[in-house]
Amino acid sequence: MIDAKTALKKGWGWLKAHPSSKGAKQTSVTATPDKHIAAVNFKLSAACMMGCAAYLIWPDNPYWHGFYVLSVLLGAGALSVAGGALHLILKIRKYERDQEEFARLGKPIKQARVPDTDLLKRKGVIRDAKR
């Protein structure tokens, strides 16, 4: 079993602060929250639209030289947003790999048995009411 110090040394301290760990019920250890997938899809869609707009705005005539600047800015923005989406994809993948490794190190989760009255009496949790 891994202890907290080893987990922090390996860089797993951020796992407990991950948004999916705040009460969200997951079907598996490596389930990625839907909002992260939606963020990747949104960023890639925005990059595609900005790239298409940059291509369509590019002027054929030098008279419209102002559109060159706008087209270059849109293209640079598209590259930046696409880079951000790639960074988010890599971050999600690293999180999933860390979760898999963390799950392999620990014992599988099992359900605790419900104590009966005799066990509670033996442990001193409850007493017989003698009147």
Side-chain angles (χ1 to χ4, degrees):
M1 191 73 187
I2 192 166
D3 61 337
K5 284 186 180 180
T6 309
L8 289 175
K9 284 180 185 174
K10 286 189 161 238
W12 292 343
W14 61 279
L15 289 179
K16 64 181 177 185
H18 194 270
S20 67
S21 66
K22 293 182 181 167
K25 188 167 186 173
Q26 297 180 352
T27 55
S28 70
V29 176
T30 60
T32 304
D34 290 338
K35 65 181 178 180
H36 294 314
I37 295 171
V40 169
N41 289 340
F42 177 76
K43 285 184 179 197
L44 289 176
S45 298
C48 183
M49 286 188 281
M50 289 172 73
C52 289
Y55 175 77
L56 292 174
I57 290 176
W58 190 264
D60 293 334
N61 189 349
Y63 178 75
W64 301 100
H65 65 277
F67 285 112
Y68 286 121
V69 175
L70 183 61
S71 181
V72 167
L73 289 176
L74 277 171
L79 289 175
S80 174
V81 172
L86 179 64
H87 182 262
L88 186 57
I89 290 170
L90 294 175
K91 210 168 153 182
I92 290 170
R93 182 62 193 133
K94 181 186 181 325
Y95 170 76
E96 289 174 348
R97 277 186 281 137
D98 288 347
Q99 282 288 324
E100 288 170 3
E101 184 178 349
F102 198 69
R104 269 186 267 129
L105 291 174
K107 295 179 184 177
I109 298 173
K110 60 181 181 180
Q111 186 175 359
R113 63 184 180 93
V114 178
D116 57 348
T117 310
D118 293 332
L119 178 66
L120 293 174
K121 286 178 185 175
R122 281 194 314 253
K123 297 292 181 180
V125 178
I126 60 173
R127 289 183 281 200
D128 281 333
K130 296 180 181 175
R131 293 184 187 203

